[in-house]
Amino acid sequence: MIKVIIFDVDGVLIPSKRRFSIALAEKHDISLEKTLPFFTGPFQDCLIGGKDLKETVAPYLDEWGWDKGVDALLDYWFQLESEVNKDLIDYIQTIRAQGVVCFIATNNEKYRFKYMLDKLGFSSSFDKTYASAHLGHQKPSQHFFAKMFDELSEVEKDEILFVDDDKENIQGAKDFGFNTEFYTSLENLKDKILLLNSH
């Protein structure tokens, strides 16, 4: 019987695949060649809480040609990637009412994570929320899963379902011992939960 379901955010709860770096290139003529070194370099430290995003991105703004300041950049970024899968959120509230504990587990830095909790309502829509910035590790690291599992009492690994749209993250969760669902649709997720609960 599934007692806990852990949901990824980007690609699952927020289905849009339109990335901030693409929007900067298309709408503001700030090429991927300019932004890629940031996202593949210093930003990775922000994702695990090692660096502060506002302080880390500030020196890049002149080179990118962004003259509206750091806060405006982050507002634009977070709003761009904030269209929530309402049907999935509604379903999550239904199963929570039936006693299923629902978590968020996301690779995100602290400012965007706070935006999700406060502005998108995730703090009230989920029982617990985890971000790589606070855990100090990213999925698919076994340390990421271990830190979440350590906070669960009286729940076995085979009573947990991990839902993600990244195959490496799915494999990491499988290796840790969780049930997994590679997210493609709400209907497929419902079918998986029925299947697991029928055993």
Side-chain angles (χ1 to χ4, degrees), residues 127-184:
D127 298 290
K128 193 94 178 183
T129 56
Y130 295 93
S132 55
H134 298 136
L135 295 179
H137 299 278
Q138 289 193 63
K139 298 176 288 184
S141 165
Q142 296 296 287
H143 296 292
F144 185 102
F145 300 110
K147 288 203 170 189
M148 284 193 299
F149 187 64
D150 284 347
E151 294 191 22
L152 285 167
S153 59
E154 300 176 12
V155 179
E156 302 298 326
K157 289 182 179 180
D158 64 0
E159 295 173 321
I160 298 171
L161 175 62
F162 175 81
V163 182
D164 206 301
D165 70 322
D166 183 290
K167 290 182 178 177
E168 288 186 10
N169 294 343
I170 290 288
Q171 189 60 53
K174 275 184 182 173
D175 291 344
F176 191 73
F178 291 162
N179 295 291
T180 60
E181 168 69 0
F182 180 77
Y183 189 81
T184 53

Side-chain angles (χ1 to χ4, degrees), residues 52-69:
D52 183 285
L53 177 60
K54 290 185 179 182
E55 295 173 2
T56 306
V57 76
Y60 289 82
L61 300 191
D62 283 345
E63 181 189 343
W64 293 358
W66 179 273
D67 59 4
K68 300 179 183 70

Side-chain angles (χ1 to χ4, degrees), residues 13-44:
L13 298 173
I14 297 177
S16 174
K17 291 293 186 182
R18 185 151 185 250
R19 286 290 172 253
F20 174 56
S21 55
I22 303 296
L24 285 179
E26 292 177 352
K27 302 264 187 192
H28 298 276
D29 200 28
I30 302 171
S31 71
L32 286 171
E33 288 180 349
K34 284 185 178 178
T35 58
L36 194 60
F38 169 75
F39 286 109
T40 58
F43 181 62
Q44 297 302 308

Side-chain angles (χ1 to χ4, degrees), residues 76-95:
Y76 176 63
W77 178 352
F78 300 163
Q79 288 174 28
L80 189 73
E81 299 179 356
S82 65
E83 189 174 334
V84 173
N85 183 339
K86 189 175 183 306
D87 289 342
L88 178 55
I89 294 291
D90 289 346
Y91 173 67
I92 289 167
Q93 305 324 303
T94 300
I95 60 175

